[in-house]
Amino acid sequence: MANEDQFKKVISHAKEYGYVFQSSEIYDGLSAVYDYAQNGAELKKNIRDYWWKAMVQMNDNIVGIDAAIFMHPTTWKASGHVDAFNDPLIDNKDSKKRYRADVLVEDYCAKIENKIEKEVKKAEKRFGDAFNKDEFISTNGRVLGYQEKIDSILKRLGQSLEKEDLADVKALIEELEIADPMTGSRNWTDVKQFNLMFGTKLGASAESAMDLYLRPETAQGIFVNFLNVQKTGRMKIPFGIAQTGKAFRNEIVARQFIFRMREFEQMEMQFFIKPGTQKEWFDHWKETRMKWHLSLGMGNDNYRFHDHEKLAHYADAATDIEFKFPFGFKELEGIHSRTDFDLKQHEEYSGKKLQYFDHEDNASYTPYVLETSIGLDRMFLAVFSNALEDETLDDGSVRTVLKLPAVLAPTKAAVLPLVKKDGLPEIAKSIIEDLKWDFNVTYDEKDAVGRRYRRQDANGTPFCITVDHDTLEDNTVTIRHRDTMEQQRINIADLRDIIKKEVDVKHWLQKMK
Ligand code: GAP
């Protein structure tokens, strides 16, 4: 299936099965704002829990907080967001569509990258088992040419953005003959900067109202609480503060469903360290975060690191963990070595000392910070789009199945009486009553059992438990596994253990070791 078709299918499946709805749909929706429906809210919660457990529960030197969305406006002056949280935008004069200039250039490079992938696939076919991908990429003339082109374009883009040379960004777009992706027009305006923060007001009367911003990242709620947490939690460096919560950005280009939203949720962790140790911690968190992703079994080839050429004003090293979404490899998580920039800025603007006294060194210093920051909605899209499959079965029929990692699935098991009589519904309901203390389970008696299996497959439910007439005799049921469609006859008393083994967080997170 073409990538675009697959992506359309992801969006419609998310709606049809109660995962994601367009916000205020009855009023024709609100652009780039989405609501999580009954299954989506559960999946989102499970992803959040999986992150929280890996970060906070599994690390005795990381604690979690929940800071407010509203913050004192000086926060955003200190953090640099008032002056520098801008995107370079460009308008197409014919279509009147607005784009991020840097994204247009990056998308151009992604097309060249696709050509590299095609060359690799062709060579793979030609050489079979003898194929060595790394060697091919580093020696094939055509591939090297493509890569050189990508590197030189991205280098120039990085330098122009660094120098705020927006005229050169426009010149690059024109030289590469980049056209409006919607209409093909190359009639561009100049590139301008656009601040992404949403403003609002606090206070009843116009005279006394204070200008506020909706936070564009959760990180600053952690920085301003650094000393409070360190003192009250008696935390010793190195230690981390984690939090999950909403962030808001007035994105210029808000397409691609929940990939880029105006209201979204972040899961961030700031790790406070001794100055000079940042390289070691950067490598540590790069590796640890990648292991967290891989533990979910969504395919090792679907992830890659992308080290930043152009560093944000606060960072001395940065990388993205990119995931292969239906529209190509894109940023899923950022890992940034933020130096002491934020704490120093807040010291300067607040006039309060934000230092740590190191008893071993008998000296105070401003800690450096290593940040891991992942978008919960983006992670949701990664999990959901990767899971959705149209699988052709041996008999030629096609089943739509959502192969969500069982630990994240909204509903862990559906209990199905074979028929709506003979006491089978009563047994099914008693199984529900028992299992619901441990798992999210659902009851389904409508339609033939085969159709019910398909419905649960499409919904992502890892287990179906069928109660039939033999159950009346021997207390056994059939348990069907979503991915393999294998069926086992087991005792009702064993259900809990069998399900737990597959959906338990411990079983999954241990794969990080
Ligand atoms: N505190 C650092 C920070 O906010 P970022 O790279 O701007 O860094 C971190 O954002 C992560 O938040 C991204 O990797 C992405 O997953 C998510 N994110 C950022 N903007 C988003 C948006 N408009 N919609 C959905 N997720 C977004």
Side-chain angles (χ1 to χ4, degrees):
M1 200 183 297
N3 290 350
E4 214 168 288
D5 292 346
Q6 171 66 8
F7 190 38
K8 278 190 192 144
K9 191 160 190 311
V10 164
I11 298 170
S12 67
H13 196 88
K15 179 170 180 195
E16 192 183 340
Y17 284 86
Y19 278 84
V20 183
F21 300 150
Q22 175 80 57
S23 158
S24 347
E25 199 192 65
I26 58 167
Y27 295 106
D28 296 332
L30 190 61
S31 156
V33 187
Y34 292 90
D35 296 339
Y36 287 89
Q38 63 279 14
N39 284 319
E42 289 290 338
L43 174 56
K44 198 175 168 198
K45 176 173 77 61
N46 293 343
I47 297 173
R48 194 191 295 111
D49 286 351
Y50 195 67
W51 181 89
W52 189 270
K53 286 198 168 134
M55 282 298 191
V56 181
Q57 198 168 320
M58 290 295 120
N59 291 294
D60 55 13
N61 61 348
I62 300 181
V63 291
I65 65 166
D66 184 11
I69 287 173
F70 291 141
M71 297 184 73
H72 192 284
T74 310
T75 309
W76 306 111
K77 198 72 199 148
S79 67
H81 284 83
V82 171
D83 297 321
F85 194 52
N86 302 317
D87 274 347
L89 69 87
I90 191 164
D91 291 293
N92 186 281
K93 290 184 198 163
D94 297 329
S95 69
K96 310 280 181 251
K97 297 252 179 259
R98 178 164 283 187
Y99 297 95
R100 261 178 67 176
D102 55 336
V103 172
L104 284 180
V105 176
E106 279 166 9
D107 284 351
Y108 180 89
C109 290
K111 281 190 191 138
I112 309 179
E113 223 162 70
N114 285 343
K115 289 186 185 169
I116 296 182
E117 268 191 37
K118 272 193 193 139
E119 291 293 332
V120 170
K121 282 219 174 91
K122 262 200 293 182
E124 222 167 12
K125 252 197 192 154
R126 200 165 353 118
F127 295 115
D129 286 347
F131 182 63
N132 180 332
K133 189 175 167 186
D134 292 340
E135 192 185 317
F136 179 75
I137 286 175
S138 59
T139 53
N140 180 274
R142 202 173 286 171
V143 169
L144 287 174
Y146 286 143
Q147 194 56 52
E148 220 167 85
K149 190 165 180 199
I150 293 174
D151 292 345
S152 96
I153 293 171
L154 291 181
K155 188 166 172 208
R156 178 161 158 206
L157 176 70
Q159 284 168 346
S160 315
L161 291 172
E162 188 81 64
K163 288 187 288 183
E164 294 259 334
D165 185 354
L166 299 182
D168 191 55
V169 178
K170 182 180 179 187
L172 183 60
I173 288 173
E174 286 177 337
E175 278 166 39
L176 297 173
E177 300 187 343
I178 295 175
D180 180 335
M182 310 290 270
T183 63
S185 156
R186 295 200 188 105
N187 192 7
W188 297 110
T189 63
D190 288 342
V191 179
K192 282 173 271 173
Q193 292 289 19
F194 177 82
N195 193 289
L196 299 184
M197 281 196 295
F198 282 106
T200 183
K201 290 203 183 289
L202 180 86
S205 72
E207 305 83 61
S208 63
M210 190 186 208
D211 286 317
L212 288 190
Y213 295 105
L214 297 183
R215 67 180 177 197
E217 62 172 11
T218 57
Q220 298 304 322
I222 294 179
F223 289 122
V224 299
N225 280 300
F226 156 72
L227 212 54
N228 281 340
V229 173
Q230 191 270 317
K231 290 226 152 89
T232 56
R234 296 196 304 281
M235 309 299 291
K236 284 206 178 73
I237 273 179
F239 75 90
I241 305 179
Q243 93 162 311
T244 69
K246 288 275 172 117
F248 303 82
R249 297 183 188 177
N250 197 359
E251 298 283 0
I252 306 165
V253 186
R255 279 178 282 127
Q256 296 172 319
F257 193 38
I258 55 172
F259 180 81
R260 196 179 302 286
M261 299 156 89
R262 298 205 162 102
E263 174 182 341
F264 59 101
E265 194 165 335
Q266 288 186 313
M267 307 191 285
E268 297 200 296
M269 195 277 297
Q270 314 292 324
F271 201 67
F272 298 90
I273 55 175
K274 195 169 170 174
T277 62
Q278 64 268 33
K279 169 84 181 81
E280 164 195 330
W281 284 112
F282 183 66
D283 293 343
H284 168 85
W285 282 109
K286 250 179 101 165
E287 191 190 341
T288 306
R289 291 303 303 145
M290 186 57 101
K291 279 188 184 162
W292 181 83
H293 285 286
L294 298 183
S295 73
L296 287 168
M298 302 202 303
N300 295 13
D301 289 346
N302 288 329
Y303 299 88
R304 69 182 187 193
F305 286 113
H306 170 242
D307 294 333
H308 287 207
E309 288 268 339
K310 177 188 180 267
L311 292 171
H313 58 282
Y314 50 74
D316 71 1
T319 194
D320 294 335
I321 293 178
E322 293 188 337
F323 183 76
K324 198 169 184 187
F325 289 96
F327 37 83
F329 272 103
K330 294 274 175 199
E331 174 185 345
L332 173 58
E333 169 158 7
I335 297 160
H336 312 123
S337 172
R338 290 181 79 125
T339 68
D340 56 3
F341 174 84
D342 303 86
L343 290 180
K344 282 251 170 82
Q345 285 292 103
H346 288 304
E347 273 195 325
E348 189 186 324
Y349 278 81
S350 68
K352 310 266 169 29
K353 270 220 163 321
L354 294 176
Q355 297 214 332
Y356 173 78
F357 183 76
D358 195 322
H359 287 275
E360 275 173 27
D361 294 356
N362 204 25
S364 292
Y365 56 79
T366 309
Y368 268 39
V369 171
L370 217 292
E371 168 184 77
T372 71
S373 175
I374 173 168
L376 175 49
D377 313 85
R378 236 174 241 195
M379 185 63 195
F380 184 111
L381 182 59
V383 169
F384 192 87
S385 58
N386 188 262
L388 187 60
E389 255 180 54
D390 274 340
E391 194 177 74
T392 307
L393 304 177
D394 291 344
D395 65 2
S397 67
V398 174
R399 73 159 179 157
T400 299
V401 53
L402 194 60
K403 291 184 173 172
L404 297 171
V407 65
L408 303 180
T411 305
K412 304 305 186 197
V415 187
L416 327 170
L418 189 64
V419 288
K420 280 190 262 180
K421 56 182 186 181
D422 304 336
L424 303 190
E426 287 73 16
I427 299 179
K429 283 176 188 164
S430 76
I431 292 174
I432 295 260
E433 279 308 306
D434 183 36
L435 292 181
K436 77 179 184 191
W437 293 95
D438 296 296
F439 317 109
N440 238 347
V441 285
T442 188
Y443 175 80
D444 190 359
E445 62 173 23
K446 193 169 174 288
D447 301 322
V449 78
R451 285 188 72 170
R452 280 181 271 168
Y453 285 156
R454 288 288 189 276
R455 190 153 59 227
Q456 295 302 332
D457 286 346
N459 214 34
T461 310
F463 297 104
C464 283
I465 297 157
T466 306
V467 175
D468 56 25
H469 292 94
D470 287 346
T471 312
L472 298 168
E473 308 294 318
D474 59 9
N475 266 340
T476 63
V477 286
T478 300
I479 186 163
R480 173 185 178 272
H481 297 254
R482 178 197 63 199
D483 297 350
T484 57
M485 297 190 296
E486 259 171 27
Q487 302 193 9
Q488 284 168 280
R489 198 74 198 174
I490 59 159
N491 213 293
I492 291 177
D494 295 332
L495 275 172
R496 174 174 287 96
D497 284 348
I498 290 180
I499 298 172
K500 187 169 182 330
K501 207 170 139 244
E502 294 280 320
V503 306
D504 197 25
V505 174
K506 185 174 172 189
H507 164 78
W508 291 79
L509 274 185
Q510 271 179 338
K511 294 181 196 162
M512 281 180 75
K513 285 196 177 147

